[in-house]
Amino acid sequence: MTDTKSNTKKAEPSKVWSAKKYTLKTALLEFQKLAVSAKKDGKNPHFSSNYSKLESVIEAVNQGNQFGLFFTQEIDYIYTGHVSTKSDVIVVTTVRHEHDEETFVSKLPIILSSANMENPQKVGSAITYAKRYTLQSVYGLPSEDDDGNEASKPNVNITKPKPRGEDDGL
């Protein structure tokens, strides 16, 4: 059953259940049975593509609330070098169930050049990207990353063989 105004899917009344009877795994299964996807409401002019904004992904996964699911997202640091006390920034997305201690976690490092790590706009953009994709990953939301698909295409240079004459010179 889908509410066409908000693109929200809800469990059928006969299938609504008490969240107390379910665990994280069974609630996530019920959520995935709804076949929820995030609207592609963002436009990337650089790649002439569309993508799901973080807000749309959150709207989609919040449909899991009806099954007792919720999530947290935090920015953390992983120390990767003890000599220079180097650390990497990561986004950690955790899905939980209101009546279960188990969690599902997705982590993604923020990978930027040193110069960009000093630019708050670049860091914020990378964090938003990581939040969007870890959330889609841990909930199992389908996604078609148009700009990623384009960027991952291999560059293939095809050269035509030189035409051979009657006499190869051999």
Side-chain angles (χ1 to χ4, degrees), residues 32-51:
Q32 289 179 352
K33 285 179 183 178
L34 295 178
V36 172
S37 61
K39 291 183 282 189
K40 290 184 114 184
D41 52 356
K43 299 212 180 287
N44 184 337
H46 182 70
F47 289 105
S48 300
S49 62
N50 298 324
Y51 65 94

Side-chain angles (χ1 to χ4, degrees), residues 23-34 67 69:
T23 64
L24 174 63
K25 290 176 184 176
T26 56
L28 195 55
L29 173 63
E30 293 300 316
F31 168 76
Q32 289 179 352
K33 285 179 183 178
L34 295 178
F67 304 113
L69 296 171

